[in-house]
Amino acid sequence: MSEQEIPGLAEEFAHYRRTVLEEVEVPGPAAVRRTARGRGRRRLATTTATVLALFGGAAVGYAAMSGPDREPGPVDPTPTISASPTPSGTASPTPSPSATSGSPTATPPAGTISRAQLLGAAVTLPAWRAGRGCPTSGIRLSGDDREGANWLLAFDQGDVDGDGAQEAVALVQCVLGSGGPMQVVAFDRDQQGKIVTLGRVVATTIDKPQWLFALDVVDDGTVRVEVGDIAPGGGWPGEWSQRQWRGYRFKGESFAQVSGPTSFGPNPHDVNLVVTATNLVLADAPDGSRTGTITVRIRNGGKGPAAYVALRLGLPAAVRPDGDGWAACRNDPEQTREPLTCDLNQLAAGKEVRLTLGFRVAAGATAGTGKADVDARPMNANFDFVQEVYDPDNTVVITYR
């Protein structure tokens, strides 16, 4: 081999290394990387074939010069070799048969799922809780709240499984009357582009949370859901529900909570005080006054505690508190007039307090005969009155004479 041919062959090898190695790996997200690798394999095949042709031509030439003389024979056509074997950035080389003879792995579609596409697709939802519910297999979500429909209330998009493509996340309610169970569900596409269920993020329960208000997918793939402790309806306004934002992440097979509170404290509105009381009958005392007692029972029929209870008795100003039965009061009833006031401590759910309260009308004072309200109201930790869903049973009317 001549001195000129040896550097030429070395240059071809150097050019081969520069060309091929640059095509082996392209940085970027997972989806782009897969596409780049496919293109890199096709470019590698083309470049390799070209370089081998160059190398083969040089090797044959070298062998012809250094080997024994041979008889002339048929000569294959010499392939045309480009002066610049490196593909340009915009070229789309045709893969060689060797590069496509296998069965390459299909790349999952990276197209996002719009709200309209989700509404138009037949999907399968995770099962609703036991009892009367809505269908879940091969159904279409509804854009309205008709009875028995799987209603799409809220929608967002984001890469929740970390594959570089965006998934759809939907808040769905099974409409039953004025309510129904709710769940947040994530959807993805399979390799054929079909919309499939990725998994349930969170669902309402009979206990808590009983309601889902909103959702939001943030940049790191966390699905944030605003949950409520008590479902609106039946006299319970939505503003009474305690609300929390909780975050959920996909863990390969299912979603798990990763941020936010995990439980609710007592709801101040979730009380139901029921009051009963006996009539007040005053009798003459040896000192010329008149005395009597009433029995007041206050029961909390709700599911949450009343932080405090305010008891009010609408008796005439001449009827004054008397005896030890008032010891349970946090305040001093003697300092109150029309109504008499007794502030009580916490009353837990399902518990009852019974008070036997004494009264006295001083000698020479007149109380007369009439009716009076005995009323008990829940208060929160700040001693502010709290509304109940049903409050007619907070008051009872007694007679006094």
Side-chain angles (χ1 to χ4, degrees):
M1 181 180 297
S2 67
E3 294 180 358
Q4 291 83 1
E5 291 179 14
I6 293 174
L9 182 57
E11 181 181 353
E12 291 297 337
F13 274 114
H15 185 73
Y16 162 70
R17 287 193 296 269
R18 288 196 305 273
T19 302
V20 175
L21 294 181
E22 289 177 356
E23 299 292 336
V24 171
E25 183 68 25
V26 179
V32 176
R33 185 179 295 116
R34 288 193 297 269
T35 303
R37 283 174 178 168
R39 292 175 179 169
R41 285 193 294 268
R42 293 192 295 268
R43 291 174 179 165
L44 173 58
T46 303
T47 306
T48 303
T50 302
V51 173
L52 288 177
L54 287 170
F55 175 72
V60 171
Y62 177 79
M65 288 187 295
S66 58
D69 295 336
R70 295 187 179 184
E71 294 293 328
V75 180
D76 293 332
T78 303
T80 302
I81 301 174
S82 170
S84 177
T86 304
S88 64
T90 58
S92 299
T94 302
S96 66
S98 61
T100 58
S101 59
S103 300
T105 302
T107 302
T112 58
I113 303 171
S114 68
R115 184 178 186 275
Q117 289 171 334
L118 185 59
L119 286 171
V123 298
T124 296
L125 294 176
W128 296 107
R129 62 175 182 249
R132 180 178 169 228
C134 296
T136 57
S137 180
I139 55 91
R140 292 185 187 275
L141 301 180
S142 172
D144 55 51
D145 59 346
R146 65 180 183 274
E147 181 72 15
N150 290 295
W151 181 23
L152 178 60
L153 288 91
F155 176 86
D156 202 0
Q157 297 168 324
D159 182 10
V160 301
D161 61 1
D163 66 350
Q166 287 198 336
E167 287 73 44
V169 183
L171 168 56
V172 183
Q173 180 180 23
C174 172
V175 181
L176 301 174
S178 60
M182 311 169 80
Q183 60 179 320
V184 173
V185 183
F187 297 93
D188 201 353
R189 291 187 185 273
D190 63 13
Q191 292 185 351
Q192 289 71 44
K194 179 183 177 182
I195 297 176
V196 294
T197 302
L198 182 63
R200 176 164 53 205
V201 179
V202 65
T204 55
T205 66
I206 296 176
D207 185 21
K208 297 173 183 178
Q210 297 180 5
W211 202 255
L212 306 178
F213 288 98
L215 68 87
D216 176 39
V217 182
V218 297
D219 291 343
D220 66 355
T222 299
V223 181
R224 298 176 66 246
V225 183
E226 187 181 27
V227 301
D229 59 344
I230 299 176
W236 185 277
E239 57 267 24
W240 287 5
S241 299
Q242 296 181 106
R243 303 187 182 197
Q244 299 173 351
W245 281 98
R246 299 179 181 180
Y248 302 84
R249 292 294 300 272
F250 188 64
K251 298 297 185 178
E253 295 183 354
S254 61
F255 285 85
Q257 185 177 350
V258 296
S259 63
T262 58
S263 62
F264 291 96
N267 191 304
H269 296 278
D270 196 12
V271 297
N272 181 26
L273 300 185
V274 181
V275 180
T276 61
T278 59
N279 295 323
L280 174 59
V281 179
L282 297 169
D284 293 336
D287 62 358
S289 63
R290 302 179 67 199
T291 62
T293 61
I294 67 172
T295 299
V296 179
R297 296 172 60 186
I298 307 171
R299 179 173 59 86
N300 182 1
K303 297 180 180 179
Y308 299 102
V309 176
L311 176 63
R312 305 289 184 262
L313 303 102
L315 295 165
V319 181
R320 306 306 305 148
D322 184 59
D324 295 335
W326 299 85
C329 303
R330 293 173 52 86
N331 63 324
D332 182 4
E334 283 282 359
Q335 303 300 316
T336 62
R337 294 283 194 281
E338 293 186 89
L340 286 173
T341 300
C342 174
D343 292 333
L344 302 169
N345 286 319
Q346 183 184 89
L347 184 59
K351 298 298 183 179
E352 177 182 285
V353 59
R354 179 180 297 197
L355 304 170
T356 300
L357 303 176
F359 298 89
R360 182 183 297 271
V361 177
T366 302
T369 300
K371 296 182 180 296
D373 289 341
V374 178
D375 181 89
R377 299 285 166 175
M379 294 187 293
N380 61 22
N382 296 322
F383 297 97
D384 296 322
F385 288 107
V386 174
Q387 290 181 282
E388 301 179 36
V389 173
Y390 184 77
D391 60 7
D393 53 5
N394 290 68
T395 304
V396 65
V397 179
I398 65 169
T399 61
Y400 61 89
R401 62 180 188 273

